Amino acid sequence: MYVSATDRDDPATPNGQLSYSILHHFPNPYNVMLFQIDNITGAISTSENGFHLLDPQKQEMFLLVVTVKDLAGMSENALTSNTDVELIVKENLWKAPPDVYIKENSTEPHPIAIAQVQWNEPGAKYELLEKERLSKFPFTIDQNGTIYVTEPLDREEKEQYSFFATAKDDGGVDLDRPLSVTVLVQDINDNPPVCQKALTIFEVQENEKEGSNIGTLHATDMDKEDTLNSRLQFRIVDQIPKIPFDNLFIIQQEAGTFQLTRASLNKRIISNYSVTVEVTDKVFTTLCDVKINVIDINDQIPIFEKSDYGIWNISEDTPVGKVILEIQAADADEPFTGSSEIIYKIEGGDQNKIFIIETDPQTNRGYVKLNKVLDFEMSPEYNLTVNATNPEPLVHGVQYNSSSTAYFRVVVVNMDEAPVFSKNIYIGDTFEDVTVGTLVTTVTANDPEGSKIRYTLKNDKRNWLRIDTLSGKIYTAAPLDREVEHEYRVQVIATEENKKPQSSTADFTLYIKDVNDNPPRIVKGDSLFFCHPLQNGVKAEIQATDDDEQLYFPNFTFSLGGDENVQNVWEISRIDGTHAYLSPKQSNLEKKNYIVPLKINDNGKPPLEGNLTVQVNVCKCTDDHRCFIETENHGGMPTIGMAIGILLGVLLFIGLIVGGVFLKMKIDGKKESKTNAADPSELKTLN
C-alpha cells in the first residue's frame, strides 16, 4: 500500500520535496522494525525482519506512525506531519504447491486434479506458463486455481515437468511473481527386459576348468534405474545339445555371468552350444539367445616379425588419428578365435597415452596412431615398448616372452606453432556505469617456442574496449550501455613477435549488468482526447515502461507535475505497476488542446523520475466517440464567395482578350478589302 501527502510549496523546489519515514509501530513484539517505507514514493512493505517474523496467528493488527517531512527530510527546519496507518496482517495464500507425484500411464479418467494455487483475493485469473518448449503441454488450470493433468504421462518419455502458475487481474496484468510447479512422474513396471544383442557369442577353451567365467549376458530395462521395476534376473531354460550332459553351464541369477559346471568340453565332439536364457523383471519375461563356441587351447604365443622397428621422425603438427607405423605379429593357434586374436598394448614410454594401437581382426596387423597432439616442448622423443597378447588365457606352462615384445622410437620434429591461450573462451561482467578505464578481464597466451606475444582486439564494433598489447589486460574504452547491448562479444588475437608471426584467437564475452539509468517513459497514452461536453467519471489509460532491466515486474508511481492549476484541473490514479488513469476534475473544460505534465518514478535504487507531458484534446466527438476536428478559416485563405468572384473575374478577363482578338481580325479584314478594290479613275469603258 501507499501513503501520500501534499505540499502547497512548489514541488520543483526543495520546499515541496517530501520524504516519508516510519516513526514506530504498535505493538513491537520483537523490538525490531517489521515494516519499511519508501522515503520517496510512500510505498509500505514488510522489512526483512518482518518477512521472517510476521505471523497473523500471533499478531494480526498493527498501527504504524508515518512521518512526512518537506525539504526532502534533510534539514532540521523541515516541516513535519504525522498520520496513523492501520495494517492487518494476513496469511499469504499465494505460495507454490509442494511437488506433485503422478504414477505413469494412469488408467483413471482424465483430466485429474493434482494441485491448487490461490490468490489472496477473489477474482484473479489463473494461467499456466511453460518453462520449456514441449510438443504437447499436458496440464491446464481452471479459474479456481485447480491444476489438472489432461492425459496419462509416460516416465520413460519425460520424468519431470516444471512450469509456472500466474495470477492476473481483469486487465491481464500479473498480480505477483509466478509460482513454480514441479510434477514428478513415478515409475511403474511397464517395460520388458531387452537383450543387448540378438545373439550373444562367447568363446571357451576346451580345457577350461570347472567354475571358470565364460562371459556375461547383458540386458536392459527402460524402467527407472536402481528400482525393483528394472531389477533383472537370469535363468537358463534350454541347452542344445545336451552333450555330454544337460546343465553344462550355469548363469549367475543377478549378474548374468556364465560359468562352466565341470571341465568336460571337447571341441572334436561338440564345437558349439546354443543356450536360451530367460530374463525377467518379475512382471515381464524375455528370452535371450547365447552361442558358446568351444575353441582350441591357447598354447601358442604371438611372435613379432621383428623386435626393433627403428626410429620414426614425426612432425609435431601431425593430426590426431594419423597412422605413423604398422606392426605385425603372428599366432599359430586356431585362426579367428580368442586364442589367435592379438591385442597390442604399449607397456612403456607413453605415460600420457599419446599413442594407441588398433588391430585388424582379419590379419592381426597393428596400426600405431596418434591419440593426442604431439608437443615438442613437452616431450621431444618417446621410447616405446609394445607387447602382443591374446584375449584367451594361455594354457598352464606356457608364458609370454621376448618374442611377444617389440620396440620403436618416435622423435618429434619441432614446428613453429601459433600461440596458445590459457582458455578458448573468456567471460567477464561489469556494471554499465563503470568509469572508462576499468579493468574487466585479463587474457593470457604463450608461444610454445618462447616468442613474445602481442594482443589485439577484433570485432570491437562499438569501440567499448581496449587491450594492453603486452599484458593482455582488457579495459573499458568508452561508456557502456546495457540497453544497447548486454552481451558484448569480441575476439582477442595473440600474435607472435618474430619474422613469420602466427596468430591465435580466443573469444571474450562481457556481460554488462544493469544500473538504474533510464527514467520511465510513456508507451501508450501520450496523446489523449475527451469528448466535449465532459461526462462525470471519464478517464483515459496511460501505460509506462522502463528501458532498464526488470528482474520481476516494474512498479511505477504516477503523479502530476506543474503548478497548482494543473492539480486543480487534472488527477491521476494508479491502476497497477505500469498503468494509470488520467481524468479531468472539472466538467466545464473548454474545447482545446491541453498539455498535462506528469512525473513517473521507478522503483530502482536510487529511483529515477521521468518528467513527461501528455497532450490532451478536449473536442467535439462523432457518434462513434471519435474526436471531430472542424475545418477552420485561416487568414489569407479565400472563402467560397471569394473563390467564385475570382473565377468570374478570370472568365471575364479571358472574354475581353478573345473579343479584342476577334475585333482586331475584323478591322484588318476590312482594310485588306479596300486595298484590293479598283480605283474608279483606273476603270475604262469597253466599247
Side-chain angles (χ1 to χ4, degrees), residues 26-97:
F26 302 100
N28 190 352
Y30 304 104
N31 293 321
V32 295
M33 292 299 291
L34 302 177
F35 303 92
Q36 61 188 9
I37 189 170
D38 188 301
N39 67 319
I40 296 176
T41 65
I44 298 175
S45 59
T46 58
S47 66
E48 185 174 354
N49 288 324
F51 177 79
H52 295 288
L53 297 176
L54 284 173
D55 184 352
Q57 303 297 326
K58 296 180 179 178
Q59 180 65 43
E60 183 181 36
M61 182 76 70
F62 287 87
L63 183 119
L64 279 61
V65 180
V66 177
T67 297
V68 60
K69 297 181 179 180
D70 60 11
L71 297 175
M74 304 297 292
S75 172
E76 294 181 357
N77 299 324
L79 299 179
T80 301
S81 180
N82 297 328
T83 189
D84 293 345
V85 178
E86 291 185 355
L87 291 180
I88 298 176
V89 179
K90 294 183 178 180
E91 181 183 1
N92 184 14
L93 302 178
W94 185 243
K95 58 182 67 175

Side-chain angles (χ1 to χ4, degrees), residues 482-483 516-527 541-550 554-558 577-580 598-603 608-614:
R482 192 206 68 87
E483 287 70 43
N516 192 24
D517 59 348
N518 289 280
R521 58 184 177 85
I522 296 176
V523 291
K524 175 186 174 184
D526 59 345
S527 181
E541 184 179 291
I542 295 172
Q543 181 182 354
T545 189
D546 192 318
D547 293 324
D548 290 314
E549 182 180 19
Q550 304 296 325
N555 189 18
F556 302 136
T557 56
F558 300 81
T578 56
H579 296 72
L598 289 184
K599 293 181 180 181
I600 306 179
N601 293 82
D602 61 22
N603 57 341
L608 290 182
E609 181 176 86
N611 291 292
L612 310 161
T613 58
V614 176

